[in-house]
Amino acid sequence: MRRRLFTIPLIICLLLLPAFGAFAEVRVDLAREEYGESFVAYPVISGMANAFVQDSANAAIRSAVQPHLDTLALLRSGAPGTVKATAAYELLPSSDGHDVLSVLIEHSGRLPGGRTGHGYIPLMLDLANGQPVPAQALFGDMGKARDALDHLGEQALEEALSNYLDIYDFLPVPMESVRADGEGLTFFYPAGGPVWLSGRAASVRFLWHELEGALDVGEGSLLRGLGIPEKLAPAPETPERVREAVESGMLPGLDVRLGDSVGMLEERYGLLFDPEGFPGGTAYYLEDDRFRETALVSRDEEQVSGILAARLNLFGLITGRTAREEVRQVLGEPDAAYPLDASEARAYGLAAGETDTYRYGTNELRMHYDEAGVLSAVWLSAAE
């Protein structure tokens, strides 16, 4: 069995941010232990001045993946099957020193206990003390938050679920199995629990603005330190961040880029529905809940040429709440503007209204507003 470390250079650039406590010293590598076709990957922290905190954080990560490392050892001894566990992580900076390392382990194949399946292990670590962040640190009143999450979950899933799946199998939302990232919270159902039609373990994701009222963002709270309240309104840097995102062919919170392979995305995330006709191409709806109310458009059924999101926080410009006047104050006057009547809008899956187009490099950003002048969808596309 081999163990290797893979350096992630992106983290090193964060050493230039002394305002954020642990970021001034932390380095994260990916360790990978493997046997044959099986492997288990997980983050390893190094470089922290406080060795006890560093060891505590690494022990928590190791404990989370230990059942799969044990499975790897069983396979090495001759047990049948394979296990594949990948790792993703994100460093969330805090203004008060409680930076958070947010980790997600995705595993498939042989599960602890011998069954075959798919699942996730979310983990958040407070780098001020090396301890896991409990769900209670995210919510003001756990009882009220649970009621709010179940209500949001029912709303979110009732239209997305296939007729073959029962929404009540997905309730209550698993509050304790949660992971934060820069855009919101994702709740992961346990291995052996509800699954999508693809067989992948289910999850449900909410953006920060959708969780207002349930979150603890008071003085001294973890989320206030992470700057969550500031994400709910445009900031001075919003125009430049929008430009950078559009030019790179991405929208925040969506793990897809213009030009990506449609087939690879289908394989990675599964299809929620069969592909549908779309003006000038085909629309694809992925199963992973981060893509809820998002269509990936392809002109040639091979590469993504457009991303149409009806549920998005574009650096403080938020679908369902930001008015056209505010968007124009932030982004300036559009390069083009045109109306969409009900029949035209229906072809794109939009409400009747008006669309403003902004051009950045070779890509276009279309901000679509309903008849009340409220942002209802964001459409990123490669120029034809």
Side-chain angles (χ1 to χ4, degrees), residues 310-329:
R311 178 175 168 259
L312 191 74
N313 180 346
L314 184 63
F315 309 112
L317 305 174
I318 301 173
T319 54
R321 62 192 288 177
T322 303
R324 188 182 199 181
E325 293 77 11
E326 185 176 6
V327 175
R328 289 190 170 189
Q329 287 174 4

Side-chain angles (χ1 to χ4, degrees), residues 2 8 19 59 71 83 97 102-103 126 133 186 219 245 250 272 302 324 340 344 372:
R2 301 189 300 276
I8 306 300
T71 297
V83 61
S102 182
V103 178
D126 185 336
V133 175
T186 304
E219 290 297 328
M250 300 185 74
L272 184 64
E302 293 184 3
R324 188 182 199 181
L340 278 181
E344 292 173 315

Side-chain angles (χ1 to χ4, degrees), residues 24-308:
E25 44 197 52
V26 68
R27 165 176 169 164
V28 183
D29 298 310
L30 280 182
R32 177 178 167 116
E33 301 190 23
E34 50 189 27
Y35 172 72
E37 296 181 355
S38 298
F39 62 88
V40 177
Y42 55 94
V44 176
I45 304 169
S46 62
M48 294 181 68
N50 190 320
F52 176 77
V53 169
Q54 177 177 292
D55 290 347
S56 297
N58 282 329
I61 296 171
R62 181 83 181 194
S63 177
V65 300
Q66 190 61 52
H68 301 292
L69 293 172
D70 292 343
T71 297
L72 201 61
L74 281 174
L75 298 178
R76 191 183 187 194
S77 69
T82 59
V83 61
K84 297 181 179 181
T86 60
Y89 64 88
E90 183 173 348
L91 282 165
L92 305 177
S94 173
S95 61
D96 60 10
H98 288 270
D99 305 329
V100 171
L101 177 64
S102 182
V103 178
L104 182 65
I105 307 295
E106 181 179 358
H107 57 88
S108 60
R110 181 171 174 141
L111 300 175
R115 294 182 299 108
T116 299
H118 174 273
Y120 298 97
I121 304 172
L123 180 65
M124 294 183 291
L125 296 167
D126 185 336
L127 295 186
N129 54 38
Q131 298 302 305
V133 175
Q136 289 85 343
L138 306 175
F139 303 105
D141 182 302
M142 288 293 286
K144 291 181 179 178
R146 185 176 299 280
D147 290 342
L149 285 171
D150 286 348
H151 177 69
L152 288 170
E154 186 170 359
Q155 285 185 319
L157 295 168
E158 62 182 355
E159 292 186 6
L161 288 181
S162 161
N163 291 334
Y164 298 101
L165 300 174
D166 187 341
I167 190 171
Y168 294 103
D169 290 339
F170 292 75
L171 299 175
V173 172
M175 287 184 67
E176 303 294 336
S177 183
V178 58
R179 177 182 182 243
D181 58 44
E183 312 305 324
L185 296 178
T186 304
F187 300 86
F188 297 90
Y189 294 88
V195 297
W196 302 125
L197 287 179
S198 66
R200 292 177 174 85
S203 62
V204 60
R205 174 181 171 83
F206 301 109
L207 303 179
W208 293 120
H209 67 275
E210 296 172 324
L211 294 167
E212 279 189 287
L215 301 175
D216 180 3
V217 291
E219 290 297 328
S221 67
L222 178 74
L223 294 182
R224 179 169 286 273
L226 295 179
I228 301 310
E230 288 73 28
K231 293 178 179 287
L232 305 185
E237 60 271 19
T238 293
E240 183 58 27
R241 295 187 72 185
V242 169
R243 174 179 294 277
E244 291 174 354
V246 174
E247 289 182 345
S248 70
M250 300 185 74
L251 292 175
L254 298 174
D255 188 18
V256 60
R257 185 189 298 268
L258 296 181
D260 279 355
S261 164
V262 171
M264 290 184 64
L265 289 166
E266 286 184 33
E267 182 179 355
R268 175 70 182 88
Y269 294 114
L271 280 179
L272 184 64
F273 308 119
D274 290 335
E276 298 179 351
F278 191 87
T282 305
Y284 299 82
Y285 299 88
L286 300 182
E287 195 175 52
D288 190 294
D289 199 55
R290 80 189 75 185
F291 295 100
R292 180 164 24 105
E293 296 186 44
T294 296
L296 305 184
V297 180
S298 177
R299 298 182 186 127
D300 59 7
E301 299 186 0
E302 293 184 3
Q303 292 185 320
V304 175
S305 58
I307 307 169
L308 178 56

